[in-house]
Amino acid sequence: MLVLSRKKGEALMIGDDIELVIVGVEGDQVRVGIVAPKHVEIHRKEIYLAIQNSNKEASSSIIDAHQLGNLFRKKEE
Amino acid sequence: MIMETQRFGEITVDDDKIILFPQGVPGFEEQHRYIILQPEESAPFSFMQSIDDGELAFIVVNPFLFFPDYQFDLPDPVQQELDIRSDADVMILSIVSVHQTSGDITLNLAAPVVLNTGRKLGKQIILNGSPYRTKHRIEFDTRQEDQSQAKDV
């Protein structure tokens, strides 16, 4: 991981298209501004990880089509 | 084409039913091609089966069946990416989790799957700043009478 120090108001260029600006620092919270092309998605990491984990969990959900339908229709097995 | 799947055994895939997810989905970024299988016995639930990996499939469902007030904006970049020109092009699905120990069935409303059914393109989008979470439990016994009984986990 590349680690750089920046002060409030300073910025970083990532590639040609992405700019990261330190908008402000208040206590231990840093406000970061990002200028990037619309197709580049930006997410808080913990959110992205939560979606990844949810998908992994979902992909290993074990129930067969028949059981699923019966649950919905509330039939006795 | 014919392929072997873990859940459905050998299946025949119509090429024109294959949906392309240019970025895969989070956690499965390398798998780009899926088809929607709708076994009659599981309705209204369908399966989003990976063409690239026979062991990979997701249970999906129309979230509005259980959460009729569910709503979110479809960002412009997503509309462009999926070449969406009108509402009629769009199908929304939620990925379903079945929890072994609790028996709970939950929908991920925080990250809906958006499909352009005409162009056969898809993407799972992450809603920023929405009130929704990855696990919204669905209750079958109140599904028709009172949707507001659907619980949040």
Side-chain angles (χ1 to χ4, degrees):
Chain A
M1 174 159 68
L2 176 66
V3 180
L4 302 170
S5 290
R6 302 269 66 192
K7 296 195 179 75
K8 175 174 159 179
E10 293 181 335
L12 294 170
M13 286 303 300
I14 299 171
D16 293 326
D17 302 328
I18 300 173
E19 182 181 354
L20 208 130
V21 182
I22 309 301
V23 169
V25 179
E26 222 162 296
D28 58 4
Q29 198 173 65
V30 181
R31 290 191 70 218
V32 177
I34 304 163
V35 183
K38 283 194 176 147
H39 63 267
V40 175
E41 290 174 34
I42 301 167
H43 298 292
R44 290 173 174 77
K45 182 171 179 179
E46 65 274 15
I47 307 275
Y48 192 80
L49 286 180
I51 306 298
Q52 274 192 335
N53 286 337
S54 181
N55 283 348
K56 286 184 181 162
E57 197 176 57
S59 71
S60 59
S61 287
I62 306 187
I63 185 169
D64 73 32
H66 201 68
Q67 284 175 301
L68 204 44
N70 281 346
L71 276 179
F72 183 73
R73 286 183 292 272
K74 273 182 59 79
K75 284 199 191 128
E76 297 299 304
E77 214 28 303
Chain B
M1 58 172 274
I2 301 206
M3 69 173 286
E4 191 65 39
T5 68
Q6 184 185 51
R7 290 167 183 72
F8 305 99
E10 197 179 81
I11 62 170
T12 303
V13 178
D14 280 331
D15 282 357
D16 60 2
K17 295 262 186 339
I18 296 178
I19 302 173
L20 178 69
F21 281 66
Q23 286 148 353
V25 298
F28 300 94
E29 290 82 359
E30 303 303 310
Q31 283 76 27
H32 299 283
R33 300 178 306 157
Y34 290 88
I35 48 163
I36 307 290
L37 296 177
Q38 169 66 85
E40 208 178 291
E41 62 266 25
S42 68
F45 298 94
S46 303
F47 291 81
M48 197 168 103
Q49 170 70 53
S50 167
I51 304 296
D52 304 308
D53 178 353
E55 294 183 9
L56 176 61
F58 298 98
I59 303 167
V60 290
V61 78
N62 170 359
F64 302 101
L65 285 179
F66 300 98
F67 301 94
D69 297 331
Y70 183 42
Q71 63 170 16
F72 55 89
D73 291 325
L74 206 53
D76 281 343
V78 175
Q79 291 188 41
Q80 272 176 31
E81 198 180 323
L82 299 180
D83 199 24
I84 289 168
R85 317 274 173 93
S86 80
D87 286 354
D89 296 335
V90 181
M91 178 186 283
I92 306 294
L93 294 172
S94 291
I95 291 183
V96 179
S97 291
V98 177
H99 303 269
Q100 291 306 120
T101 34
S102 62
D104 283 344
I105 301 193
T106 63
L107 304 196
N108 180 349
L109 297 187
V113 172
V114 182
L115 301 179
N116 180 336
T117 45
R119 294 272 281 113
K120 300 281 179 281
L121 293 170
K123 183 182 177 69
Q124 182 176 24
I125 67 171
I126 298 179
L127 302 180
N128 276 316
S130 80
Y132 305 114
R133 291 190 296 284
T134 56
K135 292 184 173 58
H136 288 257
R137 199 166 78 221
I138 54 181
E139 304 273 3
F140 293 105
D141 49 357
T142 57
R143 73 189 185 282
Q144 261 140 20
E145 297 82 342
D146 182 0
Q147 296 292 353
S148 65
Q149 291 274 340
K151 297 195 172 52
D152 296 340
V153 170

